[in-house]
């Protein structure tokens, strides 16, 4: 018996050196091992089979070998063992077919959000012309069209609203974000959540109120995530569909400056560019259909990662906007957030 056990151990060492981590053991082999263990301990057993021939599974298809067992963890393959003459087929278990991440991986892995519905393919961007009339009449016509847009309404989260621009249509400053959030789709007004509250503080530091400026988004609906909570950036297709509605708002308001809040808004207004980095272009002037455009950080970025340096960078962008529209700037305002 000792010789057989040593032979089994040698065989298991060889298989481990070949890279096998699990061995298929038949019920007959397990029974034989239990009988042998009982006999070795001096115990009698009624389960002893008449004979325990070597078990060869159909999956392994190898020469007869002593009954395999699962090797102990401390068994180490000999460094000098020669390579096998054949490559044994791997044993596929249910665990191998569906590998489970470690506990640390499950804790640190970011939450994956569900993708939008598969049938969310959008039609081409709308083509339309603003009617004749004064600013208010044209703005009201445009708002009515957007609020009742079949595509916008078809992409709303259940029970939510289309979000159109809001504010002073005679303002020289037009703030543009990317898409509504949870608070905005409830009220139908852009920038009313925490990021909106911070934007209002920035506007107040400029010596203005929310009612003095115009605020809008490229998107007219909150991009769906498949879940009740969470946000995702709008896709290029979604922004391309809504962009004509934003252009029309710019045509109605005719601001002196357009402020793009965040990298997604910049992408929607200037087009995609994988080499573009907001940190490198913020504070520099661009052009959007003849309107000067100033890229800067989104207020939500400041809420998550902002420090005095970031706040000062945004404020310097706002000082440039104030100068562009001819606003007076006090020494106190020029000194805000200096580091």
């Amino acid at each position: 018996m000792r010789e057989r056990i040593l032979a089994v151990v040698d065989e298991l060492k060889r298989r481990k050196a070949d890279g096998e981590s699990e061995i298929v053991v038949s019920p007959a082999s397990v029974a034989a091992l239990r009988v042998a263990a009982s006999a070795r301990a001096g115990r009698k057993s009624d389960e002893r089979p008449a004979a325990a021939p070597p078990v060869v599974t159909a999956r392994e298809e190898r020469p007869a070998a002593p009954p395999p067992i699962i090797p102990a963890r401390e068994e180490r393959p000999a460094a000098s063992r020669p390579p096998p003459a054949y490559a044994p087929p791997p044993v596929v278990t249910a665990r191998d077919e569906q590998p489970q991440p470690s506990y640390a991986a499950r804790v640190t892995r970011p939450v994956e959000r569900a993708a939008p519905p598969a049938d969310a393919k959008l039609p081409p961007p709308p083509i339309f012309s603003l009617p004749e009339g004064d600013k208010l009449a044209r703005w009201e016509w445009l708002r009515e069209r957007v609020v009742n847009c079949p595509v916008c309404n078809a992409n709303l989260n259940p029970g939510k609203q289309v979000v159109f621009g809001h504010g002073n249509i005679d303002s020289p400053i037009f703030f543009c974000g990317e898409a509504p959030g949870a608070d905005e789709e409830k009220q139908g007004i852009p920038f009313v959540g925490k990021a909106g509250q911070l934007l209002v503080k920035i506007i107040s530091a400029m010596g203005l109120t929310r009612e003095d400026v115009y605020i809008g988004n490229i998107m007219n609906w909150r991009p769906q995530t498949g879940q009740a909570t969470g946000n995702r950036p709008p896709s290029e297709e979604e922004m391309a569909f809504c962009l004509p509605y934003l252009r029309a708002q710019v045509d109605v308001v005719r601001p002196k400056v357009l402020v793009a809040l965040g990298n997604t808004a910049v992408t929607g207004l200037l087009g995609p560019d994988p080499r573009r980095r907001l940190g490198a272009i913020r504070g520099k002037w661009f052009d959007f259909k003849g309107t000067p455009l100033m890229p800067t950080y989104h207020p939500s970025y400041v809420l998550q990662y902002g420090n005095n340096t970031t706040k000062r960078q945004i404020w310097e962008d706002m000082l440039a906007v104030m100068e562009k529209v001819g606003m007076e700037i006090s020494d106190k305002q020029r000194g805000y957030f200096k580091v």
Side-chain angles (χ1 to χ4, degrees), residues 262-319:
N263 189 60
T264 303
V266 174
T267 299
L269 294 169
L270 299 181
D273 183 352
R275 299 170 299 177
R276 183 189 296 132
R277 296 293 180 268
L278 185 58
I281 67 169
R282 56 139 291 272
K284 300 178 181 179
W285 289 105
F286 292 82
D287 179 85
F288 178 77
K289 306 299 180 183
T291 301
L293 183 147
M294 171 61 71
T296 193
Y297 294 114
H298 194 284
S300 63
Y301 178 85
V302 181
L303 292 174
Q304 295 181 46
Y305 311 108
N307 49 33
N308 281 342
T309 299
T310 305
K311 292 176 182 178
R312 178 62 192 183
Q313 290 174 329
I314 295 178
W315 185 241
E316 288 175 352
D317 299 342
M318 294 305 100
L319 291 176

Side-chain angles (χ1 to χ4, degrees), residues 18-336:
D18 293 344
E20 295 188 53
S21 59
E22 298 188 39
I23 302 297
V24 174
V25 181
S26 69
S29 298
V30 174
L33 290 170
R34 287 176 177 169
V35 171
S38 298
R40 188 176 181 83
R43 296 192 299 269
K44 294 183 179 180
S45 173
D46 296 333
E47 299 176 356
R48 182 186 304 274
V55 177
V56 179
T57 64
R59 186 180 305 174
E60 292 177 325
E61 297 181 359
R62 66 184 71 206
I69 60 173
I70 298 176
R73 290 183 179 271
E74 59 269 35
E75 296 291 342
R76 302 290 183 184
S80 60
R81 186 176 301 280
Y86 67 97
V91 178
V92 180
T93 66
R95 187 186 308 172
D96 294 327
E97 294 170 351
Q98 297 179 354
Q100 299 296 319
S102 65
Y103 175 77
R106 293 198 303 270
V107 171
T108 59
R109 183 179 60 188
V111 177
E112 297 180 358
R113 305 195 185 280
D119 58 351
K121 182 73 175 177
L122 297 177
I127 299 175
F128 60 92
S129 298
L130 288 167
E132 298 293 333
D134 59 23
K135 268 191 175 185
L136 182 58
R138 301 173 83 201
W139 182 85
E140 289 178 343
W141 179 92
L142 180 60
R143 181 183 185 281
E144 190 72 14
R145 180 185 175 94
V146 173
V147 169
N148 294 291
C149 172
V151 177
C152 295
N153 281 274
N155 284 275
L156 289 177
N157 288 293
K160 307 308 178 184
Q161 302 182 57
V162 171
V163 180
F164 190 66
H166 183 268
N168 182 3
I169 60 175
D170 293 316
S171 173
I173 304 175
F174 188 130
F175 288 94
C176 180
E178 56 180 62
D183 295 309
E184 287 76 16
E185 68 175 357
K186 289 179 183 178
Q187 301 184 37
I189 302 174
F191 281 92
V192 292
K194 292 183 178 180
Q197 294 168 14
L198 179 55
L199 177 60
V200 170
K201 291 182 179 179
I202 294 173
I203 294 171
S204 177
M206 298 170 70
L208 303 170
T209 67
R210 182 186 176 103
E211 290 72 26
D212 293 325
V213 301
Y214 191 86
I215 305 175
N217 284 310
I218 294 177
M219 292 292 299
N220 301 310
W221 68 81
R222 180 187 178 195
Q224 296 185 24
T225 63
Q227 299 181 8
T229 60
N231 296 316
R232 69 167 175 86
S235 66
E236 292 181 13
E237 182 186 25
E238 288 171 326
M239 291 193 292
F241 179 86
C242 292
L243 190 57
Y245 290 139
L246 178 68
R247 289 175 180 166
Q249 291 178 75
V250 175
D251 289 342
V252 171
V253 177
R254 300 185 68 83
K256 294 182 179 179
V257 170
L258 189 60
V259 180
L261 299 170
N263 189 60
T264 303
V266 174
T267 299
L269 294 169
L270 299 181
D273 183 352
R275 299 170 299 177
R276 183 189 296 132
R277 296 293 180 268
L278 185 58
I281 67 169
R282 56 139 291 272
K284 300 178 181 179
W285 289 105
F286 292 82
D287 179 85
F288 178 77
K289 306 299 180 183
T291 301
L293 183 147
M294 171 61 71
T296 193
Y297 294 114
H298 194 284
S300 63
Y301 178 85
V302 181
L303 292 174
Q304 295 181 46
Y305 311 108
N307 49 33
N308 281 342
T309 299
T310 305
K311 292 176 182 178
R312 178 62 192 183
Q313 290 174 329
I314 295 178
W315 185 241
E316 288 175 352
D317 299 342
M318 294 305 100
L319 291 176
V321 168
M322 294 169 67
E323 291 176 349
K324 193 76 168 180
V325 301
M327 294 177 60
E328 293 186 3
I329 304 175
S330 67
D331 292 338
K332 181 178 179 181
Q333 287 175 313
R334 292 189 184 278
Y336 286 164

